[in-house]
């Protein structure tokens, strides 16, 4: 794994955006695996700036997002589809028909998951997968468990994830308790993976995920088995990782 450290969130976001730019420039019809959460927002803002300057062209790019809350419609401002539209897609020249997010409104969970796996398969997999990192080590919404779940599946979110997400909702009752998420196999089959981390709050889990034992109880630890992973973070998030290596 290669590790890139920016001094702060802004610099880490620029580093991450540079890797995505390089991917799109080298392969204009890349399939990008995209992530939500607060961490990649700075990366997306940087990509928009470079697009506006004329340095990037997303017209042939396809994107496949990691996850979506079950039950939220695309126009709900807390849905991940809404997040992707407002934080990235509305500001670049990607064709929205080529952007995929699990269908949170599909009540038949098996169908929603089967359809999404078929979308991933039909695209020939993912060229560059962007990942954030949950405080409990989740990636996408692959929560700590006793096994790794391979394909897209419906998850019951853990209490820690529900409370971490509560800040975005008016009340606890409105926080979705379930989500559809891409599975560990689809993530691990991506040709390249870039994990973005920021802030002191991620320090311990970064160390645990990338230097600790590989276990489904820390889903991100499986990334240690992938041959092309880049970890991009700011000093605060990488402090524990760097210290452990000294
Ligand atoms: C959510 C998303 C994850 C994301 C995580 C971390 O749970 N499903 O994909 O990585 O949040 O979010 P943040 O970047 O806000 O810490």
């Amino acid at each position: 794994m290669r590790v890139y450290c920016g001094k702060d969130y802004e610099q880490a976001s620029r580093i991450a955006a540079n890797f995505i730019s390089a991917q799109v420039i080298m392969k204009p019809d890349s399939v990008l695996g995209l992530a939500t959460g607060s961490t990649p927002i700075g990366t997306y803002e940087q990509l928009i700036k470079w697009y506006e300057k004329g340095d990037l062209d997303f017209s042939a790019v396809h994107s496949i997002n990691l996850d979506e809350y079950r039950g939220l419609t695309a126009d709900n401002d807390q849905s991940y589809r809404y997040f992707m539209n407002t934080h990235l897609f509305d500001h670049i020249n990607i064709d929205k028909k080529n952007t995929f997010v699990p269908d949170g409104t599909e009540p038949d969970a098996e169908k929603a998951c089967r359809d999404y796996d078929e979308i991933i398969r039909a695209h020939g997999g993912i060229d560059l997968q962007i990942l954030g990192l949950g405080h409990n080590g989740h990636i996408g919404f692959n929560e700590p468990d006793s096994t790794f779940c391979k394909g897209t599946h419906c998850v019951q979110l853990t209490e820690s994830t529900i409370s971490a997400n509560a800040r975005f909702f008016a009340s606890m009752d409105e926080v979705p308790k379930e989500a559809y998420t891409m599975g560990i196999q689809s993530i691990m089959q991506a040709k390249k993976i870039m994990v973005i981390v920021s802030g002191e709050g991620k320090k311990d889990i970064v160390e645990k995920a990338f230097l600790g034992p590989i276990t489904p109880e820390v889903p991100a630890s499986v990334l240690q088995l992938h041959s092309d992973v880049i970890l991009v973070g700011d000093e605060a998030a990488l402090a524990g990782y760097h210290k452990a290596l000294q």
Side-chain angles (χ1 to χ4, degrees):
M1 182 173 78
R2 284 167 295 150
V3 182
Y4 295 82
C5 183
K7 73 174 185 325
D8 54 18
Y9 176 68
E10 203 194 322
Q11 213 180 76
S13 299
R14 284 172 64 108
I15 296 170
N18 261 303
F19 281 111
I20 301 174
S21 300
Q23 175 69 41
V24 171
I25 291 166
M26 302 285 280
K27 188 172 185 243
D29 61 347
S30 286
V31 179
L32 299 179
L34 297 178
T36 54
S38 47
T39 311
I41 291 177
T43 304
Y44 296 151
E45 280 172 2
Q46 186 61 68
L47 289 176
I48 293 165
K49 282 189 199 142
W50 287 333
Y51 165 72
E52 285 169 349
K53 277 176 69 184
D55 291 347
L56 282 174
D57 176 12
F58 291 90
S59 59
V61 168
H62 285 64
S63 72
I64 304 182
N65 258 76
L66 281 165
D67 45 13
E68 178 61 283
Y69 290 117
R70 188 175 188 202
L72 296 197
T73 54
D75 61 353
N76 183 309
D77 64 5
Q78 291 308 325
S79 75
Y80 285 168
R81 161 54 77 182
Y82 188 92
F83 175 103
M84 289 311 302
N85 287 347
T86 52
H87 287 287
L88 186 63
F89 301 152
D90 286 345
H91 311 285
I92 58 174
N93 67 336
I94 198 164
D95 184 341
K96 286 231 183 88
K97 286 203 298 298
N98 296 337
T99 67
F100 299 89
V101 179
D103 182 1
T105 62
E106 172 56 68
D108 179 344
E110 264 180 43
K111 181 174 183 317
C113 298
R114 209 173 43 239
D115 288 353
Y116 210 59
D117 281 338
E118 178 51 27
I119 288 169
I120 300 167
R121 196 204 56 77
H123 279 81
I126 290 157
D127 290 307
L128 172 63
Q129 176 67 55
I130 317 304
L131 292 176
L133 183 63
H135 287 97
N136 57 6
H138 73 230
I139 44 178
F141 268 136
N142 289 275
E143 294 278 35
D145 204 345
S146 51
T147 54
F148 289 115
C149 206
K150 287 201 244 173
T152 303
H153 54 287
C154 181
V155 281
Q156 311 292 319
L157 301 176
T158 62
E159 282 308 319
S160 105
T161 303
I162 293 168
S163 37
N165 289 340
R167 64 191 195 273
F168 301 115
F169 293 85
S171 75
M172 205 60 181
D173 289 345
E174 287 176 39
V175 189
K177 311 289 182 297
E178 290 181 322
Y180 293 135
T181 183
M182 201 187 272
I184 292 294
Q185 187 176 39
S186 313
I187 294 172
M188 287 296 281
Q189 284 177 348
K191 296 190 185 83
K192 242 181 211 309
I193 297 177
M194 175 169 66
V195 188
I196 317 174
V197 290
S198 166
E200 210 197 327
K202 295 286 167 77
K203 188 177 85 160
D204 294 342
I205 192 63
V206 168
E207 192 182 334
K208 221 169 153 185
F210 296 104
L211 297 174
I214 296 163
T215 161
E217 271 151 33
V218 183
S221 65
V222 76
L223 300 172
Q224 294 180 46
L225 298 176
H226 193 282
S227 60
D228 197 353
V229 176
I230 308 166
L231 173 63
V232 179
D234 55 19
E235 281 173 3
L238 295 178
Y241 179 89
H242 284 142
K243 199 160 170 233
L245 290 182
Q246 272 165 13

